[in-house]
Amino acid sequence: MKRNVILALLAIVVLGVAVFTSRQPGEALHEVTIYTSVDQVYSEPVLRAFEAETGIRVNALYDAEAAKTVGLVNRLIAEKSAPLADVFWNGEFSQTLVLKEEGVLAAYASPAAEGLPALFRDPEGFWTAFGGRARVLFVNTAMLPKADWPRSIFDLPPRAGEIALANPLFGSTGTHAAALAAALGPQAALDVFEALKSGGVRVVDGNAVVRDMVAAGRVPMGLTDTDDACVSIEKGAPVAVVFLDQQADGLGTLVVPNTVALIAGGPHPDLGRMLADYLLSTETEAAMIESGWVQIPSRPSPVEGPCFGRLDVRAMQVSMAEIRAAGGEIDAAIRRMFQD
Amino acid sequence: MTAIPPCRWCPTPGRVLLALGWAVFLGLTFGPVAGLFAEAAARLAAGEPEASAALVPSARQRALLGRSLALAGGVAVFAGLVGSLAALALLRRLAHGRGSRLLRAGLLAALVLWVVTPPYLHALAGMEAGNWMRAALSGLGAPSRLLPDLPGPVSALLAQGFALMPIAMVAAAIGFLSVERDLIDAAMLLGPGHRVFLRIVLPLAAPAIFAGSGAVFVFSLIDYSTPSLFGLSSYAMEIVAEYSASRAPWRAALIALPLIAITGLVIGAVLAMLSRGAPAHARMPGRALRHYRPLDALRRPARLALWLAVGYGAMILALLLGSVLIWRLLPGLVWEVRHDLARTLVNAALAAGLALGPAALVAGSLAARPRAPVLRALIWLAALFPLAIPPSLTGVGLAALLACCAPDALRSAGWLPALSHAARFLPLAVLVIHAQMRRVDPLLIDAARLQRPPGPARWLRIELPLAAPGLAAAAGLVFCASIGELDATMMTAAPGQGVLSMRVFNYLHYGVSETVAALGLLLAAIVWTAAALGLWLAGRQG
């Protein structure tokens, strides 16, 4: 009996190893490796579709370190001398710019980038951006009538006590602060955050927490991203989003696009280029709009997203490089303001 | 002729093997973080201001540490209190003969299955329960605000508290069982039951209760996955965040120091409390139960705690097994994630295999002849201190080691997480094997040893069969724990080599869906099957 159990266990392990090492019938031996910070639930279907279309196996490493961490970027920098990855697909842009500065990326002008706005292409070709999410004010409609909704970032400081905000040291709130610094100047941006802080803004642990607090009615409004807001909207919570500063001469709303880049010295450069082209194609962008990852298309698109339909948003007119540079200027002050 | 005294330090095969076991144990558990601390120490010695600054937590980090300590303390108090009361009620029922052998086996199985279920699956069940109750309320026409979302800290406390409660429950049961019946009978002549319970039983059982709660505190403090699912930052997460933000693994080690110091102190305190040792009769549950003398104290809260625990266990089962949609999704999902599933099983089996040898040797050295108390305490501390290292730091250490020094073939290997799992769970394997070794009657071993001289045959015929149940239990524990492990896996998984726990955690960030519930069920089913198989084998061994 005992021997049978041991044999059964061995059989399970052997079966596991067999499945572990198996490939699909007809699957090509070509493979390409991608590191992506785009959530697995959104990025995996796209990569599977690429596999199905091309027969090229995609080894993906997803950034699974919860919020606000940049584990994949660290890994790419650490592996710079002997990279495993061919492509980096980032859900935002600032860390891609860090990789460019660190010399991790290779220049590549993808033909699929045709039609993208000039701000979405690195002048030196080290990265290309496409479709993104927007930074929005998320309001609880049961607590706040439409007439009371703020319309500009400058309307927020006097009402700081009613607002929740993710920690500006990390993630898209940090990028938002940097974008404001690029658009308004470092001191004006710092003044906004200083006024929010001294006015009693609730600093919480992430955009998802802001979303949940607003949806649950624990705070009337908060700053978050459209993909987070979409989760509550789909659940039927009494919430709405406000795209700030949309008037004709307004500042515009921060749009955080995806970025795609090739890794210098990656083991499969040709296949990496093929995958980058696929990710930057209009078809992939349409798929990402339909899945709910992208809310703001970077090119005219016939498809509509599940939460906001077809959006026409006035975006902030600052380049990603300017945002990155401005972020460096205010980083220490923001750190002092919110860390110590 | 004068007899030559035996050489105390000569390298015999046994000693070499033991040294090898300890070397592998220390290498696996401390190795990944040793490099980080070495670099940090070198920078501190060189007087680098950045290193000195990292040594002092910022205001935000201090606040975060305070919050994490409060959460872990709350979890320990909740699990310790409810677990101890539930244990009291359970023991009372069993002692009054209201529990057949089958029921007792069932209870043990339920506790084992409960404790091997990963904490984030408890979080999933909690979230799903909230959704069900809200749907039920809205079906009845009641407004959903009648059941508002619980604040993140409360949700995390409940999820971790319930997930870790069996540890506190078992520890409290051992504590109550270890109180000598004669002592209670004598005390009963002098006062009523509840006073005897409060004055005699509780103080005598307190070390075990504190040990259980201490273990819960440590496991809660070093876990970042459950708080993160409820949107709560934790100090354990800060270690990874610091590594990410600074790109300096040594800074993560310095940031982790306060956490390691606190968990290390708690482990030391638990060891000190347990150093008195349980009476021999408490080592055999069946015999201990026959000696157990129930008292009429805290009857109502104990019964309430027991029903709370039973109700929670039933809820988990109902939520994971009760949805028709989940069962419909499952076959297709299993095929879709078959590669993740296979890697999960292979990694768990490898981790169990890797941990077994060193764990057995270290456990053997702990059970060996008595040493000086200080040396003995040091050896115990060395064996258990790895539990104080946050898994996130082990992951950072391994990631840094691989990035710096490993060849491509190793860095892209699918079995890398097995290394981090073995590093994390080796001390638990040591504890299990050591517990089994203590149950073996030393007279039995001595008698059997007389039949055979030292050597492979004696080891194979006598020592291995006696240790086999402990080895099997340890391998099973590492296997089950490895299947759900997340914190270190995330840092070590190679591209294209994901495992199920990562997928479940990634999906959970978008809340509960049928897909994630089905994946959770799949993960739980593997763990439960492995644990049930182990229990069945243990039952056959008596």
Side-chain angles (χ1 to χ4, degrees):
Chain A
M1 188 67 187
K2 204 190 292 176
R3 189 168 295 170
N4 286 346
V5 171
I6 292 167
L7 283 175
L9 283 174
L10 273 176
I12 289 170
V13 172
V14 169
L15 194 67
V17 173
V19 180
F20 188 31
T21 51
S22 74
R23 286 172 187 272
Q24 297 262 26
E27 193 179 344
L29 286 172
H30 295 306
E31 56 182 27
V32 60
T33 300
I34 184 169
Y35 287 9
T36 177
S37 72
V38 175
D39 293 334
Q40 185 172 4
V41 67
Y42 294 111
S43 54
E44 190 174 34
V46 171
L47 299 175
R48 289 259 169 100
F50 175 78
E51 284 184 329
E53 259 181 51
T54 62
I56 298 166
R57 179 181 167 140
V58 179
N59 293 320
L61 186 64
Y62 302 95
D63 197 355
E65 294 173 26
K68 74 209 171 201
T69 55
V70 283
L72 291 180
V73 172
N74 282 351
R75 205 151 156 170
L76 284 166
I77 293 170
E79 292 172 356
K80 192 165 82 173
S81 55
L84 290 177
D86 300 296
V87 179
F88 180 49
W89 175 15
N90 191 1
E92 53 88 54
F93 60 87
S94 63
Q95 296 301 322
T96 309
L97 270 64
V98 170
L99 289 178
K100 181 189 167 187
E101 287 162 16
E102 293 281 343
V104 174
L105 306 182
Y108 173 55
S110 168
E114 285 294 319
L116 285 169
L119 284 176
F120 278 41
R121 281 178 289 180
D122 178 37
E124 297 166 274
F126 283 100
W127 51 262
T128 312
F130 73 101
R133 341 170 238 153
R135 192 85 183 138
V136 289
L137 185 70
F138 194 46
V139 294
N140 185 305
T141 51
M143 297 176 79
L144 218 57
K146 197 169 181 178
D148 275 357
W149 295 357
R151 297 290 170 183
S152 164
I153 190 84
F154 303 107
D155 295 339
L156 301 184
R159 301 176 68 177
E162 299 173 66
I163 297 168
L165 181 75
N167 196 325
L169 296 178
F170 305 106
S172 55
T173 314
T175 307
H176 196 187
L180 287 174
L184 305 170
Q187 194 51 53
L190 287 173
D191 289 345
V192 170
F193 277 90
E194 182 61 57
L196 282 170
K197 194 193 171 197
S198 56
V201 73
R202 306 242 329 241
V203 179
V204 297
D205 289 312
N207 289 320
V209 184
V210 173
R211 172 198 70 202
D212 293 342
M213 286 178 76
V214 173
R218 286 203 289 277
V219 63
M221 53 189 162
L223 281 167
T224 190
D225 297 339
T226 40
D227 60 313
D228 286 304
C230 189
V231 173
S232 284
I233 291 168
E234 285 187 321
K235 282 183 182 169
V239 289
V241 298
V242 180
F243 292 89
L244 295 171
D245 298 295
Q246 293 298 294
Q247 64 275 26
D249 57 344
L251 190 62
T253 288
L254 172 66
V255 173
V256 182
N258 289 254
T259 42
V260 174
L262 275 189
I263 303 298
H268 315 99
D270 293 336
L271 299 181
R273 278 191 279 272
M274 199 190 278
L275 179 57
D277 293 345
Y278 184 84
L279 295 175
L280 292 167
S281 66
T282 47
E283 291 77 14
T284 299
E285 183 166 336
M288 300 303 277
I289 294 170
E290 281 178 323
S291 71
W293 174 251
V294 166
Q295 285 85 39
I296 315 288
S298 47
R299 290 165 282 207
S301 173
V303 296
E304 290 187 2
C307 288
F308 306 104
R310 190 168 288 126
L311 280 172
D312 183 19
V313 175
R314 181 183 162 79
M316 283 171 96
Q317 292 302 302
V318 282
S319 74
M320 289 167 226
E322 286 170 324
I323 295 174
R324 166 96 183 120
E329 285 180 50
I330 62 163
D331 184 56
I334 287 279
R335 199 164 277 275
R336 270 195 304 278
M337 207 183 290
F338 287 94
Q339 183 166 319
D340 297 314
Chain B
M1 203 169 81
T2 328
I4 302 167
C7 170
R8 203 174 166 191
W9 301 107
C10 290
T12 62
R15 281 177 191 155
V16 169
L17 203 60
L18 206 61
L20 196 66
W22 268 102
V24 175
F25 177 89
L26 295 174
L28 268 175
T29 53
F30 291 105
V33 296
L36 305 184
F37 281 110
E39 187 179 351
R43 285 173 185 270
L44 282 169
E48 280 188 24
E50 199 194 344
S52 316
L55 205 53
V56 184
S58 68
R60 197 182 69 82
Q61 285 165 344
R62 287 198 296 277
L64 207 53
L65 181 61
R67 267 161 45 188
S68 294
L69 286 173
L71 176 65
V75 170
V77 168
F78 174 78
L81 195 66
V82 179
S84 301
L85 286 169
L88 200 60
L90 198 61
L91 289 176
R92 186 179 288 138
R93 290 180 81 85
L94 294 175
H96 283 308
R98 272 181 278 168
S100 63
R101 194 182 155 81
L102 192 67
L103 179 70
R104 267 183 266 161
L107 275 170
L108 178 67
L111 284 173
V112 171
L113 298 184
W114 186 335
V115 85
V116 295
T117 307
Y120 51 86
L121 288 187
H122 289 266
L124 171 116
M127 290 176 189
E128 184 70 345
N131 291 346
W132 276 25
M133 283 189 250
R134 253 176 236 109
L137 274 179
S138 100
L140 293 169
S144 61
R145 66 173 173 276
L146 275 181
L147 193 71
D149 283 348
L150 288 175
V154 178
S155 304
L157 188 149
L158 290 176
Q160 279 192 332
F162 275 117
L164 299 170
M165 190 190 291
I167 297 174
M169 209 166 154
V170 170
I174 291 172
F176 292 132
L177 287 171
S178 68
V179 181
E180 299 280 359
R181 187 183 180 121
D182 295 346
L183 200 66
I184 301 175
D185 287 341
M188 285 292 282
L189 297 173
L190 303 170
H194 67 272
R195 195 188 295 171
V196 173
F197 177 79
L198 292 175
R199 298 264 176 95
I200 309 283
V201 177
L202 207 52
L204 287 172
I209 295 174
F210 279 124
S213 300
V216 169
F217 178 86
V218 168
F219 289 133
S220 166
L221 194 60
I222 61 175
D223 169 41
Y224 70 69
S225 59
T226 309
S228 148
L229 284 175
F230 294 105
L232 212 64
S233 285
S234 57
Y235 200 81
M237 167 66 100
E238 183 70 6
I239 296 164
V240 184
E242 178 63 34
Y243 165 60
S244 301
S246 66
R247 296 190 196 97
W250 61 270
R251 280 184 66 98
L254 289 180
I255 296 290
L257 267 180
L259 204 66
I260 294 175
I262 292 165
T263 46
L265 277 175
V266 173
I267 289 171
V270 166
L271 277 176
M273 275 186 220
L274 293 180
S275 60
R276 300 171 205 174
H281 75 263
R283 293 176 205 155
M284 301 292 286
R287 204 183 304 160
L289 201 59
R290 282 196 295 278
H291 275 78
Y292 182 63
R293 171 79 149 87
L295 288 169
D296 198 22
L298 301 173
R299 184 180 282 271
R300 273 193 191 166
R303 198 182 295 163
L304 191 70
L306 183 61
W307 280 115
L308 189 68
V310 170
Y312 178 77
M315 183 194 82
I316 294 255
L317 273 181
L319 288 169
L320 283 176
L321 301 177
S323 164
V324 178
L325 191 58
I326 290 176
W327 286 103
R328 211 178 292 158
L329 272 173
L330 205 56
L333 198 64
V334 168
W335 179 248
E336 198 182 318
V337 302
R338 65 193 184 282
H339 287 107
D340 286 10
L341 179 59
R343 277 190 289 271
T344 302
L345 290 171
V346 170
N347 267 307
L350 275 174
L354 267 172
L356 214 51
L361 290 166
V362 170
S365 77
L366 290 171
R369 63 190 180 280
R371 296 182 176 86
V374 177
L375 184 63
R376 195 168 175 74
L378 280 177
I379 291 175
W380 266 104
L381 204 59
L384 295 189
F385 195 79
L387 287 175
I389 300 170
S392 43
L393 188 67
T394 304
V396 168
L398 268 173
L401 196 67
L402 290 167
C404 107
C405 319
D408 284 5
L410 185 64
R411 284 189 293 141
S412 54
W415 49 265
L416 273 179
L419 265 184
S420 58
H421 300 169
R424 265 202 79 180
F425 302 121
L426 250 172
L428 296 180
V430 169
L431 277 181
V432 170
I433 297 172
H434 180 255
Q436 159 64 18
M437 284 175 168
R438 283 188 66 192
R439 287 185 60 186
V440 177
D441 191 340
L443 291 176
L444 188 68
I445 300 174
D446 290 343
R449 276 176 178 171
L450 289 175
Q451 302 297 316
R452 283 184 185 273
R458 190 174 90 181
W459 182 81
L460 199 66
R461 295 285 171 86
I462 299 169
E463 287 164 7
L464 185 63
L466 284 171
L471 294 176
L477 179 69
V478 176
F479 183 87
C480 290
S482 171
I483 280 174
E485 209 285 336
L486 189 75
D487 301 18
T489 307
M490 283 183 183
M491 306 296 294
T492 48
Q497 307 286 349
V499 292
L500 269 186
S501 60
M502 290 168 71
R503 187 179 284 273
V504 172
F505 189 68
N506 282 348
Y507 284 17
L508 264 176
H509 267 279
Y510 283 87
V512 181
S513 65
E514 281 75 21
T515 309
V516 78
L519 280 172
L521 175 61
L522 182 60
L523 206 58
I526 299 168
V527 174
W528 291 348
T529 307
L533 191 68
L535 284 168
W536 176 73
L537 277 174
R540 284 179 59 86
Q541 295 276 343

